[in-house]
Amino acid sequence: MSNPDPFAVISGRTQPLRPLPNLIFASRWLQLPLYLGLIVAQAVYVVHFLVELAHLVQAAFGSKGALEALITSIGYKTTAPITTLNETVIMLVVLALIDVVMISNLLIMVIVGGYETFVSRMDLEGHRDQPEWLSHVNASVLKVKLATAIIGISSIHLLKTFINADNYTDRVLIAQTAIHITFLLSAMAIAVTDRLMARPPDAH
């Protein structure tokens, strides 16, 4: 019986990777610029959030320019001129801010969970700020969490649309409702499929 390869003993593998498999496995690092780009996109969302929040505060103190900027950004239209910040505008702006936060949370899930799952371990075990969901994340869990986050974002968009329904046609309202229902059914299908795949086979 031959002695085991010293490299295999050290690495824990039966044999080292051949050049081609090693190159293919190393290609996962090509995803790194994608995740860095998502971090830049999240920074843009943070700037947008702060700008909208500043406009909201300024409009609350009577700034006409900030009020006009808010009305333009949320796409709110009415036959009566808006001279002061009203409840509908505040609600639409707050929903828009919540939308930004939820999209930012989605970005964090994709960046952290995707990097941990598909690129390299982050070695966050024992870190006090380690996300609870990251300890058991895998491709299936990540899909379900992303689907849930998308449903939340779709709900916010749908609520904004119904609050501002006078500025949308019936066709747009029906289409957005149908899309939201499709997201719900898709998430349920993903969750059921993952549960069926994770179920242990019956013993014979």
Side-chain angles (χ1 to χ4, degrees):
M1 184 174 182
S2 60
N3 293 328
D5 185 3
F7 182 87
V9 174
I10 295 175
S11 63
R13 294 194 303 268
T14 57
Q15 61 181 359
L17 287 177
R18 298 188 302 275
L20 182 57
N22 189 42
L23 175 63
I24 295 174
F25 184 59
S27 67
R28 71 193 190 280
W29 288 101
L30 291 175
Q31 295 189 44
L32 181 59
L34 305 181
Y35 292 114
L36 295 178
L38 289 180
I39 294 174
V40 175
Q42 187 174 30
V44 173
Y45 263 106
V46 171
V47 173
H48 176 73
F49 180 93
L50 295 177
V51 169
E52 291 296 304
L53 183 61
H55 286 162
L56 180 61
V57 173
Q58 291 170 4
F61 285 97
S63 173
K64 302 297 182 181
L67 180 60
E68 292 177 0
L70 285 178
I71 294 173
T72 302
S73 66
I74 62 178
Y76 183 66
K77 297 178 182 178
T78 181
T79 56
I82 302 176
T83 57
T84 58
L85 195 63
N86 58 42
E87 183 179 358
T88 302
V89 174
I90 295 174
M91 188 179 302
L92 288 171
V93 174
V94 170
L95 286 175
L97 295 178
I98 294 174
D99 189 27
V100 171
V101 172
M102 295 188 70
I103 293 177
S104 181
N105 292 339
L106 178 61
L107 285 172
I108 286 294
M109 287 186 189
V110 173
I111 294 169
V112 178
Y115 183 90
E116 176 86 9
T117 303
F118 301 109
V119 180
S120 179
R121 296 294 181 185
M122 302 180 70
D123 296 328
L124 295 178
E125 291 79 6
H127 195 284
R128 64 176 185 176
D129 293 328
Q130 179 189 5
E132 182 180 356
W133 54 269
L134 190 60
S135 60
H136 54 274
V137 70
N138 53 44
S140 298
V141 173
L142 192 59
K143 283 190 300 184
V144 174
K145 288 189 175 296
L146 291 180
T148 305
I150 291 173
I151 290 173
I153 295 171
S154 176
S155 301
I156 295 297
H157 276 275
L158 192 60
L159 183 57
K160 287 169 58 180
T161 299
F162 279 114
I163 292 175
N164 200 17
D166 292 338
N167 297 322
Y168 297 93
T169 63
D170 292 341
R171 181 178 178 181
V172 173
L173 295 175
I174 294 173
Q176 288 198 9
T177 304
I179 292 172
H180 181 68
I181 293 174
T182 302
F183 284 150
L184 285 172
L185 295 177
S186 299
M188 291 173 62
I190 291 173
V192 171
T193 302
D194 287 338
R195 175 167 293 186
L196 292 176
M197 292 179 63
R199 181 180 298 175
D202 296 334
H204 296 288

